[in-house]
Amino acid sequence: MKKRIMLYPGDTMTAEERMKAVIRLQVPDRVPAVPCVYYYFATYSGLTFADLFDPKLYRRATMKLFDELGPWDAYNFFHTYYRELASFFIPMVTMEPGFELPASSIRQFKEEEIMRPEDYACIVEIGERTPRLSFYRIMMGFMPRIYDYIQEGWRSYAFVLPRFAAQLAYYRYEFRDWIDRGATLFYSIGPVEVPFDTFSLARGLIPFVKDLSKYPDDIRRAADALVPGYLFLIKATVNLFGIKRAMIDLHRSSNDFLSPGQFREYALPSLKLLVAGLKDEGIDVIMHCDGDWGLNLEALRELPAGQCVIQLDGATDIFKAKEVIGDRMCIYGDVPASMLALGSAAEVDEYCHRLIEEVGRGGGFILGTGCELAPNARPENVKAMLDSVVKYGYYDK
Amino acid sequence: MSEKIAALIAAVEEDMTLEEVRKALGDGADPLSLVEALREGMAVVGDKYEAREYFLPDLILSAEIFKESIALIEPHLQSGNTTTKGAVVIGTVHGDIHDIGKNIVATMLKCNGYDVHDLGVDVPPQVFVEKASSTQAGLVAMSGLLTLAFDAMKDTVDALAEAGLRDKAKVIIGGGPVNEKVLEYCGADAFGKDPAEAVRLANRYLA
């Protein structure tokens, strides 16, 4: 029988039991904390950002932070040791530290047209012919457009698939560090951009906005056509790692990018198909929602209750989100990057206390950073955030 | 006729706006009054955006209509006879290459009658200083999406102060994580959450 490791002396649930409880909107023993960390691993350990491409340095840095400022409940990971794999999930031209950028700069994306307008029709066709493989086929088609050293056709598969397999092997190896310390994996796969947002990223914002007014139905059909391919990819990874959760990214569907009407009409249908398909497999969904989602929250009530987590980054009023949708989905967030980088530990403590009291009321809440933990966050602020779930987060105290 | 053009661009009607501009030019309308009508329409778009009646796609599409209309009008304008509301220097700060937000703000400022000097992305403080000085800009607008950009914003504000330009130019900042706290940290005059707010701030400081 597996040993039940408790993260803190006051805990009565394991991290995995706690995570399942909050997603089902039940009251756990305490509020879980899950910071979203990548570049901060480097700054805390005195590494450059480019060093994080080295598996040994990355792994050492993750455990140093967890052991010294943690623990926390789940490993929210989104690193790849092969830069090209990041473009497999977010099809955009990237500039990486140690490559195009100095080792001390963080990854940045370039807004270029990777996808062409005629690709919408191709995607529908591929989706019809090979539904389960549609995601791979589309992304493999994009790779040579992003990297001039990746060739088209079978050669792009030959380039990407071995790296993909190696990355999965690295993940499997690293996960032990976290499981042995009592944390759980936040998900088996993530973050995968949802189909609609993928088009916005791959086309570039301004061309995509024009597409949306010129041929909205083609976009909608192409997004729907890609869903089986996403389901196949997610199910395969869940089978490999055993955690029945997936993270999906919604970078371009907030009210900062779309009207609530456009969201409901063009982005929501494929999202609902995807979530329903995952529900059939018993897979929960963490939605990484960048930007202001205030006017979309009501529409998200159409997603199944007790299956989804909505991660907010500080741009959405999280307290209002609790009122509007807290009875349908678990809320995750949202200590702002600016507070963690520029504020004081007392401010962080006070804000986290309020989040736990108000958004955490009745369960269904995960304390987290608003989007990624700022690389220039102050260590005492990160500590104050993680400590707050022990100070204020127990439900029976 | 001008009223109709203003109303059409405000309704984000691309083909009809362009058709009306062509018709007006054919009828010998004063090209400057047409530019003014387009600006009036764009101001309505900005108001509707702030009222959350319009969203980013409406801003982007109306700005495209504005650009296409100006391209039609330009051959009829005598050079140098358009008025501007003042010079604005804009750029994404050093270390950051995000440009969508900055580009949209630059376009909206142009549509609203400002003489916009866009320095692009990853702009060192000294380049902001030189441009602000040579154009005698009354407004410097800095953009940044990374939290690491906060320091670059602060450095740029400090460089403007060192060059003696801080009392001549107001400084506004914008970008995803920018808020009151960041404003206080870098010592700018104001921050905007969206392009419409940037235009409102420019109107407050320059118009």
Side-chain angles (χ1 to χ4, degrees):
Chain A
M1 198 179 152
K2 267 189 188 171
K3 195 179 158 199
R4 293 176 77 241
I5 303 174
M6 301 297 163
L7 285 170
Y8 289 102
D11 289 0
T12 56
M13 287 176 141
T14 64
E16 180 58 26
E17 289 163 355
R18 189 173 298 116
M19 208 55 64
K20 281 182 180 143
V22 290
I23 295 174
R24 301 281 170 267
L25 304 174
Q26 295 158 359
V27 180
D29 57 344
R30 71 162 163 81
V31 168
V34 184
C36 174
V37 192
Y38 180 56
Y39 286 116
Y40 190 72
F41 285 133
T43 38
Y44 186 74
S45 281
L47 301 174
T48 69
F49 298 136
D51 288 335
L52 296 179
F53 283 114
D54 180 327
K56 271 189 196 153
L57 293 176
Y58 174 85
R59 188 175 163 217
R60 210 178 297 152
T62 56
M63 287 302 103
K64 179 175 164 66
L65 185 70
F66 186 87
D67 292 342
E68 293 180 10
L69 297 189
W72 60 85
D73 289 89
Y75 180 33
N76 183 343
F77 60 98
F78 44 98
H79 63 300
T80 57
Y81 298 124
Y82 307 96
R83 62 170 303 183
E84 297 85 2
L85 295 184
S87 313
F88 196 74
F89 296 99
I90 297 184
M92 293 181 85
V93 175
T94 57
M95 294 171 75
E96 296 282 358
F99 292 89
E100 296 79 10
L101 297 173
S104 57
S105 294
I106 70 172
R107 173 193 298 153
Q108 301 195 40
F109 294 95
K110 277 181 155 178
E111 200 76 16
E112 290 181 11
E113 289 189 46
I114 300 303
M115 182 179 158
R116 304 170 190 128
E118 57 270 26
D119 288 334
Y120 294 120
C122 295
I123 290 168
V124 173
E125 200 186 314
I126 289 172
E128 281 167 2
R129 278 196 194 168
T130 50
R132 295 200 308 171
L133 296 177
S134 59
F135 176 84
Y136 289 97
R137 290 190 61 193
I138 304 301
M139 293 302 171
M140 289 297 183
F142 288 156
M143 293 301 262
R145 300 183 193 174
I146 300 173
Y147 301 100
D148 55 11
Y149 51 87
I150 300 181
Q151 292 172 309
E152 287 185 12
W154 65 269
R155 289 185 176 86
S156 70
Y157 288 79
F159 184 95
V160 173
L161 291 180
R163 287 166 174 78
F164 202 48
Q167 185 64 54
L168 292 175
Y170 276 123
Y171 284 154
R172 195 163 202 160
Y173 182 62
E174 288 163 6
F175 291 164
R176 289 258 50 96
D177 291 335
W178 296 82
I179 305 292
D180 289 349
R181 283 166 167 79
T184 187
L185 305 180
F186 203 29
Y187 39 75
S188 284
I189 181 168
V192 184
E193 196 76 31
V194 295
F196 181 88
D197 294 47
T198 295
F199 302 152
S200 178
L201 297 170
R203 287 283 292 132
L205 179 66
I206 293 178
F208 184 70
V209 163
K210 290 180 190 169
D211 291 353
L212 205 51
S213 73
K214 275 188 202 158
Y215 15 85
D217 294 336
D218 292 355
I219 295 175
R220 193 176 148 162
R221 267 197 297 274
D224 288 357
L226 262 180
V227 169
Y230 277 71
L231 290 173
F232 182 70
L233 169 81
I234 293 171
K235 278 190 274 181
T237 323
V238 164
N239 286 339
L240 189 65
F241 295 131
I243 295 291
K244 296 189 107 179
R245 287 187 291 272
M247 177 178 263
I248 55 176
D249 274 357
L250 296 106
H251 284 118
R252 295 274 178 95
S253 297
S254 72
N255 305 132
D256 297 332
F257 289 98
L258 295 178
S259 72
Q262 286 168 323
F263 173 73
R264 194 181 273 274
E265 201 167 339
Y266 304 118
L268 185 61
S270 51
L271 177 64
K272 279 168 74 175
L273 275 180
L274 185 60
V275 173
L278 293 171
K279 186 178 171 63
D280 290 345
E281 301 291 328
I283 298 170
D284 296 328
V285 183
I286 301 152
M287 301 186 295
H288 177 93
C289 293
D290 276 352
D292 184 356
W293 280 73
L295 299 175
N296 289 348
L297 293 174
E298 199 61 47
L300 291 179
R301 292 187 64 82
E302 293 177 24
L303 298 175
Q307 189 205 349
C308 299
V309 178
I310 181 167
Q311 180 182 7
L312 302 173
D313 67 0
T316 305
D317 181 344
I318 197 168
F319 302 98
K320 189 182 159 214
K322 176 73 174 180
E323 280 170 32
V324 178
I325 203 166
D327 62 328
R328 302 285 297 177
M329 59 179 67
C330 173
I331 295 173
Y332 171 33
D334 75 342
V335 186
S338 58
M339 185 183 285
L340 290 163
L342 304 175
S344 66
E347 270 176 85
V348 173
D349 178 80
E350 190 187 344
Y351 186 69
C352 291
H353 191 181
R354 186 179 168 215
L355 284 174
I356 290 167
E357 289 293 319
E358 295 182 34
V359 189
R361 187 170 299 135
F365 173 59
I366 302 166
L367 180 75
T369 46
C371 204
E372 188 189 335
L373 175 56
N376 50 345
R378 294 176 175 153
E380 63 271 27
N381 292 356
V382 180
K383 182 81 182 134
M385 177 189 146
L386 295 172
D387 284 351
S388 70
V389 292
V390 182
K391 270 170 92 176
Y392 313 114
Y394 285 102
Y395 281 93
D396 61 350
K397 286 178 190 165
Chain B
M1 192 165 280
S2 291
E3 275 171 24
K4 193 170 177 187
I5 288 173
L8 285 171
I9 193 168
V12 202
E13 291 286 355
E14 182 176 11
D15 294 341
M16 288 163 80
T17 308
L18 295 176
E19 192 188 314
E20 201 60 30
V21 169
R22 276 193 205 99
K23 203 168 129 204
L25 288 168
D27 292 347
D30 170 21
L32 279 179
S33 70
L34 299 183
V35 174
E36 198 42 49
L38 290 165
R39 283 182 186 166
E40 273 171 35
M42 287 303 289
V44 174
V45 171
D47 291 344
K48 288 191 173 192
Y49 178 83
E50 286 210 274
R52 306 203 90 177
E53 208 179 306
Y54 277 0
F55 290 82
L56 191 66
D58 305 297
L59 281 193
I60 290 173
L61 293 175
S62 60
E64 286 293 316
I65 301 171
F66 183 89
K67 271 197 257 177
E68 289 169 33
S69 302
I70 292 292
L72 294 175
I73 297 168
E74 231 155 25
H76 300 265
L77 286 170
Q78 286 168 4
S79 62
N81 69 352
T82 50
T83 54
T84 82
K85 293 202 242 171
V88 180
V89 170
I90 188 169
T92 302
V93 294
H94 187 47
D96 196 333
I97 63 156
H98 288 94
D99 67 352
I100 307 178
K102 185 267 298 169
N103 289 348
I104 295 170
V105 169
T107 305
M108 291 303 288
L109 288 169
K110 278 183 207 164
C111 295
N112 281 275
Y114 291 96
D115 178 20
V116 177
H117 301 269
D118 187 346
L119 299 173
V121 297
D122 191 13
V123 182
Q126 206 47 40
V127 177
F128 273 106
V129 169
E130 282 159 19
K131 196 53 142 183
S133 169
S134 66
T135 58
Q136 296 184 314
L139 188 68
V140 174
M142 296 189 285
S143 168
L145 196 71
L146 309 174
T147 54
L148 298 173
F150 302 161
D151 286 326
M153 288 179 173
K154 187 176 189 314
D155 293 345
T156 309
V157 173
D158 291 347
L160 287 166
E162 263 175 45
L165 295 171
R166 201 59 190 86
D167 54 345
K168 296 186 181 80
K170 294 286 183 186
V171 181
I172 61 173
I173 55 174
V178 168
N179 57 17
E180 199 69 51
K181 191 172 276 300
V182 181
L183 176 68
E184 196 183 308
Y185 176 73
C186 72
D189 294 296
F191 75 97
K193 290 306 278 181
D194 56 52
E197 217 169 335
V199 172
R200 200 155 46 75
L201 289 171
N203 289 342
R204 188 207 298 173
Y205 290 134
L206 295 183

